[in-house]
Each structure stands twice: as C-alpha cells, then as structure tokens.
Amino acid sequence: MKNHVKYLIPLILLLAFVIDGQSSTLFTNLAPGIIHITSHFLVIIGLFSVLYIPTFYNVIMFTLVGFLYDIYYLNILGIFVTLFPLVVYLIDYFYQSLKFKRVTNHIILLVVVFVVEFGAFLFARLFELSNLSMFIFVIYNLVPTLIFNSLLLLMLQPALEKVFGITNKT
C-alpha cells in the first residue's frame, strides 16, 4: 500500500461520513414512494482499510466515526458506536479466511450492510425509536439499500483499488 494512504484514512473516513448522509438524503428523495436508501461509504472504505491498518486502530477510528454518526444523525448515543466496531471485526474475520477479490468484496459488503441495517433496526425497535414493521423495513429499506450499495461498490471499487494501491497480485 502507498504509505501516504495510512495517514489519510481518518480524512477519508470523515469525507465518507459526510458523503453518506448527503447521498442517502439525495437518493431517498429521488426514489419513488416511501423507499428509503441508505448509502454506506464508510463500510466500503472499511472493506479496504481493514487490509492495511491494524484492527485495533481501525476499531478506534470506526468507534469515533460511530460516535459522530450517532450524535449527528440520530441524536442518541450507542447504536452505531456499537455497530461500526462490530463491522470492522466482521470484515477482518472474513478476510482472514477469504482472499481479497471483487466477488468476495461484494459478498462481504452485502453481509456487513445487512448486519448494520438490521442491527440499527433492532436497536431502534429495542429503544422504542421506531414502530416500523419488519416487512415494511425489509421491502422498503433493506432491499433497496443492499442493491444501492452493491452498485456503489461496483462503481467505486476500481478507483478505491488505485487509491489503496491494490493490484491483481494482491
């Protein structure tokens, strides 16, 4: 990996944090009806950062980003402070047994986005922040989010591979 990327990861995560909220709002407003699309640039960046940054440092960074995410978007502390470090451990666990390939990245992304979205839904139901039914959540939120993030990774993966210095030999 290029040495400068290690030092730019916090800045990249902060930029992804801002883009997440803006793109989620944009695509939700463009979507028909009550469909809600959530972008997960942070998770996509996490797919690449886990390969090069020690897990402990990644957990600290994603905990801080989860703290910001909770305060800025939810006004309640605890949901993403818990979920984002879990995501880092989950991605790291998958990469211990799987090689870095485009297909495995998509599968890992789908699993991790499912964990984040479903975990956030369960926490919201547990803390009585939402009374949304499971069926409506899956049809109008989870499925469009999974499709959108999969397409997003398809578009961004070549650029992120260049930024992170990943070659076909990696």
Side-chain angles (χ1 to χ4, degrees), residues 1 51-52 99-102 161 164-170:
M1 178 173 142
L51 295 172
Y52 297 104
K99 292 184 178 181
F100 183 87
K101 293 184 179 182
R102 289 184 177 192
E161 285 175 351
F164 283 89
I166 296 171
T167 64
N168 291 334
K169 297 176 186 174
T170 304

PDB file of all heavy atoms in Angstrom, residues 1 51-52 99-102 161 164-170:
ATOM      1  N   MET A   1       0.834  -1.184   0.000  1.00  0.00           N
ATOM      2  CA  MET A   1       0.000   0.000   0.000  1.00  0.00           C
ATOM      3  C   MET A   1       0.868   1.232   0.000  1.00  0.00           C
ATOM      4  O   MET A   1       1.937   1.255   0.571  1.00  0.00           O
ATOM      5  CB  MET A   1      -0.889  -0.019   1.236  1.00  0.00           C
ATOM      6  CG  MET A   1      -1.765   1.168   1.362  1.00  0.00           C
ATOM      7  SD  MET A   1      -2.883   0.922   2.720  1.00  0.00           S
ATOM      8  CE  MET A   1      -2.889   2.561   3.333  1.00  0.00           C
ATOM      9  N   LEU A  51      -7.616  -4.195   5.357  1.00  0.00           N
ATOM     10  CA  LEU A  51      -6.490  -4.936   4.790  1.00  0.00           C
ATOM     11  C   LEU A  51      -5.131  -4.374   5.192  1.00  0.00           C
ATOM     12  O   LEU A  51      -4.145  -5.106   5.217  1.00  0.00           O
ATOM     13  CB  LEU A  51      -6.591  -4.945   3.263  1.00  0.00           C
ATOM     14  CG  LEU A  51      -7.781  -5.690   2.678  1.00  0.00           C
ATOM     15  CD1 LEU A  51      -7.864  -5.449   1.185  1.00  0.00           C
ATOM     16  CD2 LEU A  51      -7.668  -7.165   2.971  1.00  0.00           C
ATOM     17  N   TYR A  52      -5.066  -3.098   5.499  1.00  0.00           N
ATOM     18  CA  TYR A  52      -3.771  -2.451   5.682  1.00  0.00           C
ATOM     19  C   TYR A  52      -3.540  -1.809   7.040  1.00  0.00           C
ATOM     20  O   TYR A  52      -2.421  -1.501   7.385  1.00  0.00           O
ATOM     21  CB  TYR A  52      -3.582  -1.375   4.607  1.00  0.00           C
ATOM     22  CG  TYR A  52      -3.562  -1.967   3.234  1.00  0.00           C
ATOM     23  CD1 TYR A  52      -4.654  -1.853   2.401  1.00  0.00           C
ATOM     24  CD2 TYR A  52      -2.464  -2.685   2.784  1.00  0.00           C
ATOM     25  CE1 TYR A  52      -4.647  -2.413   1.145  1.00  0.00           C
ATOM     26  CE2 TYR A  52      -2.457  -3.248   1.534  1.00  0.00           C
ATOM     27  CZ  TYR A  52      -3.549  -3.103   0.718  1.00  0.00           C
ATOM     28  OH  TYR A  52      -3.540  -3.667  -0.512  1.00  0.00           O
ATOM     29  N   LYS A  99      -9.727 -14.488   0.321  1.00  0.00           N
ATOM     30  CA  LYS A  99      -8.787 -13.604  -0.355  1.00  0.00           C
ATOM     31  C   LYS A  99      -9.523 -12.355  -0.830  1.00  0.00           C
ATOM     32  O   LYS A  99     -10.725 -12.359  -1.051  1.00  0.00           O
ATOM     33  CB  LYS A  99      -8.152 -14.314  -1.545  1.00  0.00           C
ATOM     34  CG  LYS A  99      -7.238 -15.428  -1.148  1.00  0.00           C
ATOM     35  CD  LYS A  99      -6.566 -16.014  -2.356  1.00  0.00           C
ATOM     36  CE  LYS A  99      -5.616 -17.107  -1.906  1.00  0.00           C
ATOM     37  NZ  LYS A  99      -4.916 -17.701  -3.021  1.00  0.00           N
ATOM     38  N   PHE A 100      -8.760 -11.293  -1.006  1.00  0.00           N
ATOM     39  CA  PHE A 100      -9.321 -10.039  -1.493  1.00  0.00           C
ATOM     40  C   PHE A 100      -9.584 -10.164  -2.986  1.00  0.00           C
ATOM     41  O   PHE A 100      -8.665 -10.205  -3.786  1.00  0.00           O
ATOM     42  CB  PHE A 100      -8.353  -8.887  -1.221  1.00  0.00           C
ATOM     43  CG  PHE A 100      -8.894  -7.554  -1.638  1.00  0.00           C
ATOM     44  CD1 PHE A 100      -9.667  -6.822  -0.774  1.00  0.00           C
ATOM     45  CD2 PHE A 100      -8.633  -7.049  -2.899  1.00  0.00           C
ATOM     46  CE1 PHE A 100     -10.174  -5.591  -1.144  1.00  0.00           C
ATOM     47  CE2 PHE A 100      -9.133  -5.824  -3.284  1.00  0.00           C
ATOM     48  CZ  PHE A 100      -9.907  -5.096  -2.409  1.00  0.00           C
ATOM     49  N   LYS A 101     -10.828 -10.275  -3.343  1.00  0.00           N
ATOM     50  CA  LYS A 101     -11.253 -10.321  -4.743  1.00  0.00           C
ATOM     51  C   LYS A 101     -12.529  -9.502  -4.858  1.00  0.00           C
ATOM     52  O   LYS A 101     -13.212  -9.250  -3.877  1.00  0.00           O
ATOM     53  CB  LYS A 101     -11.513 -11.763  -5.196  1.00  0.00           C
ATOM     54  CG  LYS A 101     -10.281 -12.612  -5.259  1.00  0.00           C
ATOM     55  CD  LYS A 101     -10.608 -13.975  -5.807  1.00  0.00           C
ATOM     56  CE  LYS A 101      -9.318 -14.787  -5.883  1.00  0.00           C
ATOM     57  NZ  LYS A 101      -9.539 -16.093  -6.439  1.00  0.00           N
ATOM     58  N   ARG A 102     -12.854  -9.124  -6.077  1.00  0.00           N
ATOM     59  CA  ARG A 102     -14.039  -8.293  -6.271  1.00  0.00           C
ATOM     60  C   ARG A 102     -15.321  -9.019  -5.881  1.00  0.00           C
ATOM     61  O   ARG A 102     -16.217  -8.436  -5.285  1.00  0.00           O
ATOM     62  CB  ARG A 102     -14.108  -7.808  -7.712  1.00  0.00           C
ATOM     63  CG  ARG A 102     -13.048  -6.782  -8.005  1.00  0.00           C
ATOM     64  CD  ARG A 102     -13.165  -6.225  -9.372  1.00  0.00           C
ATOM     65  NE  ARG A 102     -12.138  -5.187  -9.527  1.00  0.00           N
ATOM     66  CZ  ARG A 102     -12.106  -4.355 -10.514  1.00  0.00           C
ATOM     67  NH1 ARG A 102     -12.998  -4.438 -11.481  1.00  0.00           N
ATOM     68  NH2 ARG A 102     -11.165  -3.444 -10.582  1.00  0.00           N
ATOM     69  N   GLU A 161      -9.304   0.717  -5.427  1.00  0.00           N
ATOM     70  CA  GLU A 161      -8.140  -0.152  -5.571  1.00  0.00           C
ATOM     71  C   GLU A 161      -6.912   0.663  -5.952  1.00  0.00           C
ATOM     72  O   GLU A 161      -5.810   0.379  -5.499  1.00  0.00           O
ATOM     73  CB  GLU A 161      -8.407  -1.236  -6.610  1.00  0.00           C
ATOM     74  CG  GLU A 161      -9.331  -2.325  -6.111  1.00  0.00           C
ATOM     75  CD  GLU A 161      -9.698  -3.335  -7.175  1.00  0.00           C
ATOM     76  OE1 GLU A 161      -9.373  -3.121  -8.368  1.00  0.00           O
ATOM     77  OE2 GLU A 161     -10.327  -4.351  -6.826  1.00  0.00           O
ATOM     78  N   PHE A 164      -5.825   2.700  -2.766  1.00  0.00           N
ATOM     79  CA  PHE A 164      -5.203   1.852  -1.759  1.00  0.00           C
ATOM     80  C   PHE A 164      -4.024   1.048  -2.305  1.00  0.00           C
ATOM     81  O   PHE A 164      -3.409   0.296  -1.572  1.00  0.00           O
ATOM     82  CB  PHE A 164      -6.244   0.919  -1.130  1.00  0.00           C
ATOM     83  CG  PHE A 164      -7.111   1.599  -0.133  1.00  0.00           C
ATOM     84  CD1 PHE A 164      -8.286   2.218  -0.516  1.00  0.00           C
ATOM     85  CD2 PHE A 164      -6.759   1.642   1.209  1.00  0.00           C
ATOM     86  CE1 PHE A 164      -9.094   2.842   0.411  1.00  0.00           C
ATOM     87  CE2 PHE A 164      -7.549   2.270   2.132  1.00  0.00           C
ATOM     88  CZ  PHE A 164      -8.728   2.880   1.732  1.00  0.00           C
ATOM     89  N   GLY A 165      -3.735   1.193  -3.587  1.00  0.00           N
ATOM     90  CA  GLY A 165      -2.571   0.525  -4.178  1.00  0.00           C
ATOM     91  C   GLY A 165      -2.734  -0.960  -4.307  1.00  0.00           C
ATOM     92  O   GLY A 165      -1.748  -1.719  -4.203  1.00  0.00           O
ATOM     93  N   ILE A 166      -3.934  -1.439  -4.572  1.00  0.00           N
ATOM     94  CA  ILE A 166      -4.187  -2.866  -4.704  1.00  0.00           C
ATOM     95  C   ILE A 166      -4.002  -3.239  -6.166  1.00  0.00           C
ATOM     96  O   ILE A 166      -4.518  -2.586  -7.060  1.00  0.00           O
ATOM     97  CB  ILE A 166      -5.615  -3.216  -4.234  1.00  0.00           C
ATOM     98  CG1 ILE A 166      -5.736  -2.901  -2.751  1.00  0.00           C
ATOM     99  CG2 ILE A 166      -5.930  -4.671  -4.503  1.00  0.00           C
ATOM    100  CD1 ILE A 166      -7.136  -2.988  -2.228  1.00  0.00           C
ATOM    101  N   THR A 167      -3.258  -4.295  -6.390  1.00  0.00           N
ATOM    102  CA  THR A 167      -3.059  -4.801  -7.748  1.00  0.00           C
ATOM    103  C   THR A 167      -3.667  -6.188  -7.863  1.00  0.00           C
ATOM    104  O   THR A 167      -4.135  -6.754  -6.879  1.00  0.00           O
ATOM    105  CB  THR A 167      -1.556  -4.872  -8.085  1.00  0.00           C
ATOM    106  OG1 THR A 167      -0.937  -5.816  -7.214  1.00  0.00           O
ATOM    107  CG2 THR A 167      -0.888  -3.525  -7.948  1.00  0.00           C
ATOM    108  N   ASN A 168      -3.610  -6.759  -9.035  1.00  0.00           N
ATOM    109  CA  ASN A 168      -4.131  -8.107  -9.211  1.00  0.00           C
ATOM    110  C   ASN A 168      -3.295  -9.134  -8.466  1.00  0.00           C
ATOM    111  O   ASN A 168      -3.726 -10.243  -8.236  1.00  0.00           O
ATOM    112  CB  ASN A 168      -4.175  -8.465 -10.706  1.00  0.00           C
ATOM    113  CG  ASN A 168      -5.219  -7.677 -11.453  1.00  0.00           C
ATOM    114  OD1 ASN A 168      -6.189  -7.247 -10.848  1.00  0.00           O
ATOM    115  ND2 ASN A 168      -5.018  -7.486 -12.732  1.00  0.00           N
ATOM    116  N   LYS A 169      -2.067  -8.771  -8.130  1.00  0.00           N
ATOM    117  CA  LYS A 169      -1.175  -9.696  -7.417  1.00  0.00           C
ATOM    118  C   LYS A 169      -1.443  -9.709  -5.923  1.00  0.00           C
ATOM    119  O   LYS A 169      -0.905 -10.533  -5.213  1.00  0.00           O
ATOM    120  CB  LYS A 169       0.277  -9.294  -7.669  1.00  0.00           C
ATOM    121  CG  LYS A 169       0.644  -9.396  -9.136  1.00  0.00           C
ATOM    122  CD  LYS A 169       2.042  -8.891  -9.352  1.00  0.00           C
ATOM    123  CE  LYS A 169       2.340  -8.854 -10.843  1.00  0.00           C
ATOM    124  NZ  LYS A 169       3.612  -8.238 -11.118  1.00  0.00           N
ATOM    125  N   THR A 170      -2.253  -8.773  -5.435  1.00  0.00           N
ATOM    126  CA  THR A 170      -2.513  -8.681  -4.004  1.00  0.00           C
ATOM    127  C   THR A 170      -3.485  -9.736  -3.562  1.00  0.00           C
ATOM    128  O   THR A 170      -4.442 -10.002  -4.162  1.00  0.00           O
ATOM    129  CB  THR A 170      -3.088  -7.278  -3.653  1.00  0.00           C
ATOM    130  OG1 THR A 170      -2.185  -6.307  -4.109  1.00  0.00           O
ATOM    131  CG2 THR A 170      -3.262  -7.147  -2.173  1.00  0.00           C
TER     132      THR A 170
END
